[in-house]
Amino acid sequence: MQDQDSDPSPPPDSAPPDDSGSPAVARTIAVVLAGGGGAALRCADGTLLDRLTGQLVTLSTGDVHVIARSSDVIHPPGGAYMIGSEGSGGLADDLRRVAGIARTATGPVAVTAGDLVAHTEALALLLERAGRRTGALVVKGGEEPGPLRPPARIERGLLVAAGTSFHDVTEPNGTFRGVFQVGVDDLLTLAATAETLADLAEVGRFGAMDGAEAGELLLAGLLRSGVKVAAVRLGRLRCERVATQAEADEAVRRLGEVDEADARLDSAVKTEDGFFATYFVSSWSKHVVKLAARLGLTPNAVTGMSVGLAVLAALWFSAGTRSAQVAGAVLLYLSFVLDCVDGQLARYTRAFSPLGAWLDSTFDRVKEYVVYVGLAVGYVAGANDPGGAPEGIWGLAVGAMILQTLRHMIDFSYAGARTDAERARPAWAGVAGSLTTRGDVVARPSPRKASRHGDGDGDGAVDEGGPRPRTGGGNWVVRLSRRLEQDSLTRWLKKIIVLPIGERMALIAVTAALFDARVTFVALLVWGGVAVLYTLAGRVGRSVGR
């Protein structure tokens, strides 16, 4: 399962391959907002600003623009980054400079605070993620929000609200860590939002807010303008802003407490996966990833090995004997392990490719259907055994294939409709009003072009009236879903009920090893039917009354 963005809508195995299948994107342009400091704070590499810009260059970004006060002392490393020739005159000027960069950029734009102390791998999580779409570095839970750790709310892999000293966040469950990246599709929104914010800041609408909060303000503005922002979680890696030399020294010291190589390996394993994949594969698969990397295997090679094991499993299933069924079940489990490892290896080595995404998505279906055929053939082969009548087994096999194909059609069409709606998103009505509202707001498009599919994240609602303050966070289905997410047991039950690929492979392996193909297909049809009804009910419920 090679890398895909955290998309809360489809089941884990059926999201269309967006990020890893994206065409080549121009190099990221980095914008360092140094108005909050960083140029005066020291570390072993010079100033914190020198250290940060060096990290950005190491990550193969394009131009690095440092927006600093005229009095700040900057030491460009060999001309690797550029500085506004006149310096910056304050918050409004910072925002206008970001808007200008966004309007001329041909690749993603990363915005980072200049007083940042971070692991290079932490920055790479965001800047080198597959597809380089819009996302922000966050910590879920952990330290309480503070002046340099603005509050955030994270829901199902998305950042849905971010605060500033002016903007509040309802029920925050995390913090923003000073770096976000805006994908190419959202650059015009970034430019328009930055210009609007600059106009508002110039007339004092945000009170005493200064350039130290330019990044947080931009992120809050993007969210309130309807931009979908992925929550890129740091895990064990560190990324924090500092205000004093003592804080800088302590932050640099804490960097040494974490082994970046091990943390990179940990971050290659998805944190929002299915139950079976999380506890029966990802709990040990990182050792396989490390071995594969040492052997120089590519993610596509691992995908091929996974396909090979699935074909061998189907051949064993086709024999029809109990020992062959058990052997097939073991091979199917190992095939799924490698199906997870290929994506983990892609994230670990950052070897993303459109071919890899296509191969992974296509062969996931091929492997499953080949196994269905093997099970049916084996059931017929064992027909001479007592109770082994083959009548109807092919009908059950075809029915399971049709049901699974229908599920994928539903998921792909829903995700595609959301993507189309987002790309066709009109200018938001009343954005300036939402930006000067202290409480959470739900951005809504104008009624003339509103998508009937909504925004899909459970926070928006399509009707007239522009953005409005949050009043309960969606309809009763959305509110119930959020309450269930707060409890570990119900959160896992929600993941299990949709029968993602890990649960399907486990169901096939266990029922085939202990019973027979008829039991396997009946179980797939019953559980798969419940999953379809649950998914459709949830999506209809989220849409009705929005």
Side-chain angles (χ1 to χ4, degrees):
M1 295 187 294
Q2 293 189 26
D3 194 70
Q4 297 170 6
D5 251 353
S6 299
D7 189 336
S9 301
D13 65 305
S14 57
D18 46 21
D19 280 354
S20 53
S22 299
V25 182
R27 296 172 72 188
T28 298
I29 293 175
V31 180
V32 181
L33 298 170
L41 301 177
R42 308 292 300 180
C43 65
D45 301 317
T47 67
L48 291 187
L49 192 55
D50 292 337
R51 181 181 187 278
L52 177 59
T53 52
Q55 289 176 302
L56 294 172
V57 172
T58 299
L59 293 172
S60 299
T61 56
D63 295 330
V64 179
H65 297 255
V66 177
I67 300 176
R69 298 294 169 262
S70 301
S71 59
D72 286 340
V73 179
I74 313 295
H75 301 91
Y81 61 86
M82 300 181 296
I83 309 170
S85 58
E86 298 178 3
S88 172
L91 176 60
D93 195 26
D94 289 355
L95 296 168
R96 289 199 174 93
R97 287 175 181 274
V98 173
I101 293 168
R103 289 202 180 279
T104 59
T106 57
V109 171
V111 179
T112 175
D115 51 9
L116 202 69
V117 177
H119 285 113
T120 301
E121 284 298 328
L123 299 175
L125 282 177
L126 179 68
L127 302 184
E128 294 187 353
R129 63 195 294 263
R132 291 184 289 160
R133 298 194 176 190
T134 303
L137 282 183
V138 298
V139 169
K140 191 170 184 179
E143 298 172 286
E144 289 295 316
L148 299 180
R149 295 187 304 274
R153 189 170 64 256
I154 302 156
E155 295 178 0
R156 306 179 76 186
L158 293 176
L159 181 62
V160 298
T164 68
S165 61
F166 181 87
H167 301 96
D168 298 327
V169 173
T170 304
E171 298 178 357
N173 61 356
T175 54
F176 168 56
R177 290 309 174 113
V179 190
F180 67 91
Q181 179 169 256
V182 179
V184 173
D185 291 345
D186 296 319
L187 286 179
L188 290 181
T189 304
L190 171 62
T193 300
E195 288 169 350
T196 301
L197 289 168
D199 292 340
L200 294 170
E202 203 161 43
V203 296
R205 296 298 297 273
F206 303 122
M209 186 184 296
D210 60 18
E213 291 190 76
E216 294 97 298
L217 183 59
L218 279 169
L219 181 60
L222 287 173
L223 290 167
R224 291 167 180 243
S225 298
V227 173
K228 178 180 172 182
V229 180
V232 181
R233 294 168 64 174
L234 282 167
R236 292 194 294 123
L237 294 167
R238 301 195 69 90
C239 180
E240 54 191 302
R241 297 181 62 187
V242 295
T244 67
Q245 187 61 54
E247 291 178 357
D249 294 340
E250 177 61 17
V252 171
R253 186 193 65 78
R254 284 198 293 262
L255 294 181
E257 296 175 351
V258 178
D259 186 320
E260 283 193 76
D262 285 346
R264 176 174 180 170
L265 188 59
D266 289 342
S267 68
V269 178
K270 288 182 179 179
T271 58
E272 299 288 340
D273 221 331
F275 180 83
F276 185 79
T278 297
Y279 289 103
F280 293 90
V281 177
S282 296
S283 57
W284 62 275
S285 62
K286 67 180 182 179
H287 302 295
V288 182
V289 173
K290 198 170 185 177
L291 177 62
R294 285 179 178 174
L295 294 174
L297 296 177
T298 66
N300 291 346
V302 176
T303 299
M305 294 167 65
S306 174
V307 173
L309 287 177
V311 171
L312 288 176
L315 290 174
W316 280 100
F317 283 141
S318 68
T321 64
R322 177 59 55 201
S323 60
Q325 297 291 100
V326 173
V330 173
L331 288 169
L332 183 61
Y333 168 68
L334 294 177
S335 172
F336 177 66
V337 170
L338 293 184
D339 188 33
C340 295
V341 167
D342 64 2
Q344 293 168 1
L345 181 63
R347 289 186 289 276
Y348 180 61
T349 60
R350 302 193 178 102
F352 308 111
S353 72
L355 175 63
W358 179 81
L359 288 174
D360 189 62
S361 177
T362 300
F363 283 117
D364 274 352
R365 311 288 80 78
V366 171
K367 289 183 293 185
E368 190 168 353
Y369 297 159
V370 166
V371 166
Y372 288 178
V373 172
L375 285 167
V377 170
Y379 191 85
V380 172
N384 293 328
D385 294 337
E391 289 84 0
I393 194 66
W394 284 106
L396 290 174
V398 172
M401 290 184 185
I402 292 174
L403 178 62
Q404 194 54 39
T405 301
L406 176 63
R407 291 187 63 203
H408 290 304
M409 289 175 59
I410 293 172
D411 292 328
F412 274 69
S413 61
Y414 182 78
R418 286 180 54 205
T419 300
D420 290 342
E422 288 167 2
R423 287 176 178 171
R425 183 175 58 231
W428 294 89
V431 166
S434 74
L435 297 176
T436 55
T437 301
R438 287 187 176 273
D440 284 356
V441 297
V442 180
R444 298 183 171 188
S446 61
R448 292 187 299 277
K449 297 184 179 180
S451 166
R452 58 191 173 90
H453 301 286
D455 62 2
D457 65 4
D459 282 343
V462 178
D463 63 10
E464 54 187 280
R468 65 178 175 85
R470 174 180 293 273
T471 56
N475 61 27
W476 69 270
V477 175
V478 176
R479 293 194 295 272
L480 175 61
S481 177
R482 289 202 184 111
R483 283 197 294 271
L484 294 176
E485 286 286 331
Q486 294 172 3
D487 180 77
S488 177
L489 175 61
T490 54
R491 182 169 65 251
W492 282 121
L493 288 175
K494 285 179 61 181
K495 288 177 177 288
I496 292 170
I497 196 173
V498 297
L499 192 59
I501 190 169
E503 276 66 11
R504 284 204 308 281
M505 295 301 102
L507 180 65
I508 293 170
V510 171
T511 55
L514 298 180
F515 304 103
D516 56 34
R518 183 180 295 276
V519 173
T520 298
F521 291 134
V522 170
L524 286 170
L525 287 167
V526 172
W527 194 344
V530 171
V532 169
L533 293 176
Y534 173 83
T535 302
L536 288 176
R539 289 174 182 173
V540 171
R542 286 172 178 269
S543 301
V544 172
R546 290 181 124 191

